[in-house]
Amino acid sequence: AGFYTVQPEGGWQHFVQVGSAHQAYVADHIIHGQVIAAGAFHIGVVLAVAEEHFSRSGFVVENIRFIRPLLLEQERILQVALVPDEEPDHYRFRVLTLDEPEDEEDESEWVLYVEGGVSIGRGDESDTRTLAQVKSLCSQEASVQEHYEELAAVHIVWDPMWCWTEQAFRGADGAGGLVALAPPGGLDAGAPPL
């Protein structure tokens, strides 16, 4: 979760170096020809920050709002502000960068990418459905190739390192989908596929 400073109003400001020199896999997430941090990357950073401060009491990340994409054509310093909310045991987070101006006469500008909340002490809540129950909602098998073609049609092209889908399933209208994943040879996903 990088390094951090304690804030006067409570909470912390984390500084995380971001880019392919620090996380090689980010170079594979290309949308419209540009390297962009995946939404899951932002969530992973926020989870790492929250884990550093709230691992003993448990926590839930909630009300996540993605504002704009984080372009990673160059190395960046991502800042995660984690500050107390008005409600007890609640914090707000913001994922930002302080961008240098293009013109020397202008000032640096804060750019917000993701914001949301963290509730403390709720780490034991979980979905109690079994994998079999979730699978029963998405029982119509779909073509893996069509899955990737649908993504490509909206300019989401995954390099081979990210193409982990072995099977794809659709649910009834509005029920979403489910994919069975397996990492490429030599990578350990750390958990069973899905």
Side-chain angles (χ1 to χ4, degrees), residues 9-11 54 62-63 82-93 116-120:
E9 71 277 5
F54 310 122
E62 57 192 6
N63 302 320
L82 187 61
V83 296
D85 203 352
E86 291 104 30
E87 284 186 62
D89 296 326
H90 283 77
Y91 284 75
R92 292 182 321 277
F93 72 82
V118 178
S119 294
I120 311 309

Side-chain angles (χ1 to χ4, degrees), residues 97-163:
T97 57
L98 183 58
D99 289 354
E100 296 296 321
E102 291 181 23
D103 187 346
E104 288 182 20
E105 296 175 11
D106 293 334
E107 294 184 20
S108 298
E109 180 181 2
W110 286 104
V111 180
L112 175 64
Y113 301 95
V114 182
E115 63 184 0
V118 178
S119 294
I120 311 309
R122 292 180 41 201
D124 59 348
E125 291 182 16
S126 63
D127 191 339
T128 58
R129 291 181 290 184
T130 66
L131 180 57
Q133 290 170 321
V134 173
K135 281 183 174 180
S136 72
L137 298 174
C138 302
S139 57
Q140 181 183 15
E141 189 156 0
S143 160
V144 171
Q145 183 61 35
E146 285 178 18
H147 165 70
Y148 286 118
E149 287 171 1
E150 288 171 3
L151 291 172
V154 291
H155 304 284
I156 300 173
V157 179
W158 293 1
D159 281 355
M161 181 178 173
W162 292 102
C163 294

